[in-house]
Amino acid sequence: MLILVANLGSTSFKYRLFRMDGSGGEVVAKGGYERVSDYAGVIDDALATLQRDGVIASPDEIEAVGFKTVLGKDLSGCVIADQATIDALEGFAAVAPAHNPPYANGIRQFAKSLPKAKLVALFETAFYQWTREASYNYAIPKAWRDIGIRRYGFHGASHKFIAERSAELCGREDVAEIARRLYLDGPRPVSGKPFRVVSCHLGGSSSVTGILNGVSIGTSMGFSPQSGLPQNNRVGDLDSGAIPYAMRTLGISLDEAERQLTKESGLLGLSGVSNDIRDINEAAASGNPDARLAVDALVHSIRHWIGAFMLEMGGIDALVFTAGIGENGADTRAAVCAGLEGFGLHLDPAKNAACRATEADIATDPSAARVLVIPANEELVLAREVFRKLS
Ligand code: AMP
């Protein structure tokens, strides 16, 4: 089955074409466009390029298009992308202004350009559909809850892949199968011992998710991606009382407060150096105290969430690192794992130092819990979910 995964930004369109079958899949072509103003034009150009390059004989060979949609109003999961999906994206356009409008547009355009293809949307919130009410509700008035304010969670495609892959690597095929089929069958009971994972997706945007028996029990991100860990230049968790106080005291408007919290906060705001952990680590190593603070605050926040989920699950069988910082940042991994031996987590310093962007178990051999590095591949995750949905 040929599946096109469409990655749509406010002014960009990137795609990967996968050939998928029951045993996995491969990328057969990829491409992209920047500074896009006319989605219809670039989608048709991409299809013409695939034909001209001999990748496809006709656009009709593309059986499905997958969209990694972020946040829908009253809609989540892995769904056929139809008018209800477009309405759900537009209903929350104000919460995800950089993501929702381009995806709503893209779905409309693909329906015209590839009328025979099945269009499938995988919401980033999908993995959190089964979290408990006590976990996803904020203590706000009913009227606020009625307009959809609650914890949703993001990076769902990445964390769900970790749920599958960590179970495979730890020899828990029963749990891996539950995780693989989660969007088809929902959660299913496990007959043996529970399998408890904390997944750390650490990149430009970061979140920590607790996963019990292949299903998320909670995550660090809430209503919007403005929450949880300090992000590259987004604030992460912040007391709601701070916003009116800053507006009144600094004399700034709501729009300006929002701009500063989304563009000038997070690791950039704390360090004053950069939004990239590599630059911040370098500055910290050469004695910059603000850079040191940014690194320490990130590690503190990661550990805070790991602790919360370990407690809720009654322990941990695997701690997983993924995405840019998780896969490459040996220093960050070591700082996160420091002093956790009492919880059965023993990091092997040599294995940790040697691991860069490859799949590896970096715990000591006798460690009761595994420490895993699993590279993220969100396009492949999407192609797999689309294939599973349509098979
Ligand atoms: P992602 O959002 O998953 O693409 O991750 C991007 C982030 O990964 C960058 O902002 C960097 O902070 C981080 N990163 C990339 N390469 C490295 C590296 N070699 N060491 C530490 N962090 C890295």
Side-chain angles (χ1 to χ4, degrees):
M1 182 187 290
L2 277 181
I3 298 175
L4 188 98
V5 172
N7 186 335
L8 295 148
S10 37
T11 59
S12 66
F13 165 57
K14 294 185 204 130
Y15 65 88
R16 282 191 197 186
L17 185 65
F18 287 85
R19 188 179 305 283
M20 303 297 294
D21 60 31
S23 58
E26 52 161 357
V27 179
V28 293
K30 60 181 177 181
Y33 302 80
E34 301 288 340
R35 301 201 187 114
V36 175
S37 56
D38 164 27
Y39 278 106
V42 291
I43 289 168
D44 290 341
D45 190 69
L47 296 173
T49 305
L50 290 170
Q51 241 176 311
R52 199 179 52 236
D53 294 350
V55 181
I56 51 171
S58 145
D60 289 348
E61 287 174 21
I62 298 175
E63 284 183 60
V65 184
F67 302 91
K68 190 158 71 76
T69 46
V70 175
L71 177 64
K73 188 155 172 42
D74 303 323
L75 185 68
S76 187
C78 183
V79 300
I80 296 296
D82 54 13
Q83 189 56 44
T85 310
I86 292 172
D87 292 346
L89 290 169
E90 291 182 336
F92 263 162
V95 188
H99 297 103
N100 280 11
Y103 274 101
N105 256 333
I107 291 168
R108 276 198 195 94
Q109 283 308 329
F110 270 103
K112 286 187 195 146
S113 302
L114 289 177
K116 293 190 181 148
K118 296 266 192 309
L119 309 185
V120 177
L122 174 64
F123 281 95
E124 283 287 67
T125 52
F127 193 42
Y128 312 104
Q129 292 172 82
W130 299 282
T131 50
R132 294 187 308 133
E133 275 187 291
S135 158
Y136 72 67
N137 268 295
Y138 292 117
I140 46 179
K142 185 165 182 309
W144 290 43
R145 283 179 276 139
D146 287 348
I147 58 168
I149 300 178
R150 50 162 281 187
R151 287 183 176 280
Y152 289 103
F154 299 92
H155 300 137
S158 173
H159 289 297
K160 176 169 185 285
F161 176 63
I162 298 304
E164 295 174 28
R165 191 65 192 139
S166 60
E168 287 167 4
L169 292 172
C170 293
R172 289 298 302 262
E173 184 48 36
D174 56 336
V175 175
E177 185 59 8
I178 291 172
R180 279 184 218 116
R181 296 192 54 85
L182 190 61
Y183 298 150
L184 305 172
D185 300 340
R188 283 181 293 144
V190 163
S191 49
K193 274 175 36 186
F195 184 60
R196 305 156 301 182
V197 175
V198 179
S199 170
C200 305
H201 176 111
L202 310 175
S205 173
S206 301
S207 62
V208 175
T209 292
I211 306 170
L212 179 63
N213 298 331
V215 184
S216 171
I217 58 152
T219 187
S220 57
M221 271 195 187
F223 175 62
S224 79
Q226 282 281 87
S227 50
L229 314 183
Q231 313 291 343
N232 54 1
N233 38 7
R234 285 178 281 122
V235 61
D237 281 344
L238 174 74
D239 184 331
S240 61
I243 298 173
Y245 174 73
M247 286 170 61
R248 290 181 191 122
T249 311
L250 300 174
I252 56 174
S253 66
L254 182 59
D255 284 348
E256 177 58 12
E258 190 176 31
R259 191 192 67 76
Q260 292 186 16
L261 292 172
T262 51
K263 303 269 193 293
E264 295 178 355
S265 297
L267 296 175
L268 173 65
L270 269 179
S271 70
V273 170
S274 164
N275 65 7
D276 191 310
I277 197 80
R278 287 167 289 194
D279 304 332
I280 302 171
N281 274 330
E282 220 176 282
S286 57
N288 180 324
D290 293 338
R292 169 53 49 204
L293 172 64
V295 172
D296 290 350
L298 176 65
V299 170
H300 173 83
S301 183
I302 298 166
R303 287 165 62 94
H304 167 95
W305 286 101
I306 293 172
F309 296 129
M310 273 171 55
L311 184 78
E312 214 172 322
M313 295 189 291
I316 186 165
D317 300 300
L319 176 65
V320 186
F321 293 96
T322 190
I325 302 173
E327 291 162 28
N328 296 288
D331 294 350
T332 307
R333 294 192 300 247
V336 168
C337 294
L340 298 184
E341 293 79 8
F343 299 98
L345 276 163
H346 297 256
L347 185 74
D348 184 315
K351 287 183 192 165
N352 179 42
C355 175
R356 235 162 233 283
T358 49
E359 189 171 271
D361 182 340
I362 54 172
T364 62
D365 291 341
S367 177
R370 308 321 302 163
V371 182
L372 305 172
V373 176
I374 301 179
N377 186 345
E378 295 182 75
E379 281 85 4
L380 177 61
V381 170
L382 211 94
R384 281 180 180 189
E385 294 296 348
V386 173
F387 179 77
R388 286 171 186 161
K389 171 121 191 131
L390 299 178
S391 306

